[in-house]
Amino acid sequence: MASQTPLHPDAADSLALAIVEHSEAPLLLLDAQLNVIAASASFCRCFQIDPAKATSRPIFELGAGEWNARKLTSLLKATCAGTADIDAYEMDLKRARQDPRRLVIKARRLGFGEANPARVMVTICDVTDARIAEKLKDDLLREKAILLQEVQHRVANSLQIIASVLLQSARRVQSDETRVHLRDAHSRVLSIATVQKHLSASRLGDVELEPYFAQLCASLSASMISDPDQLSIEVHADSSAVHADVSVSLGLIVTELVINSLKHAFPGGRRGKILVGYQAHGPNWTLSVGDDGVGMPADSGSTTAGLGTSIVEALAKQLHARVKVADARPGTDVRVIHNQISAVEDGRTRAAV
């Protein structure tokens, strides 16, 4: 294989000068003593350097001495010696009566053969405006996040106030049926307030389900269980985390199923326990709410679905999941099951329709 013939020094300089001359980006060509051999027109224009005074002088004498930076000079010397390259050195260019400009500097030693004199090509990029735009964007995003958290906090507080008003109204009405409906509404609003408060406290895109369910059930227990020694709610969930939108639906399902158990599973002061569980295996997951209460009524098949059941069915469908209810003997076990294969097939069926 033939060896590469080194370029003649004049030819090497001519090639480098042509690159500088035709460059639209600010470029400098330096010799071994860091004297400027050539400066692109864009460099002179961007940094207000007189083209007639830009060459045949050291880089640190350009302008009014604003390029006389010790760190930059040291890096350029190392580059010229072939011991290092400047990949992205950042510095502030400070000039009299002007705002500092943030620069990103790159430098490479040109390899035209050992017989040729050392040359260094320096590229300068002014990123001041880009950095200002990035900071403005970050500030706007931070402000948006703060405002969103404040709105969520106020919404949660407002929901708690509404829940308190509903409970007070339930205590004052004479009709037993109306009182039951108001208490149901109170429990639902309070649970939604708990969901909202938990999500507003979370700064992440995903929500960890175990503490989320625990806080939700603690709120339901405090509002609906008068004797914690008589009835209790336990949460057994794995370390799964889901997107905030999914966590809202799961939280509402848990709320409806727990409320249903508290209303129907333990009549006459019966002791018992409600278990809330969540297990995931890859994309497949199961949410369960079970109790050890009186179980399903004998004629449950002919019973018209209530509001809570309709809500659970609708939320499960939204999550591409199915609801399975079973007699646990004792008690009732309700599972919301998401299976990826079933979800895909369900989606295809709806698309075909």
Side-chain angles (χ1 to χ4, degrees), residues 54-71:
T55 57
S56 302
R57 59 193 305 186
I59 183 175
F60 46 79
E61 291 183 5
L62 292 177
E66 61 266 21
W67 294 89
N68 188 14
R70 181 179 300 177
K71 181 70 177 293

Side-chain angles (χ1 to χ4, degrees), residues 271-284:
R271 299 175 65 90
K273 180 185 297 183
I274 299 173
L275 296 178
V276 176
Y278 184 93
Q279 299 294 325
H281 299 282
N284 303 323

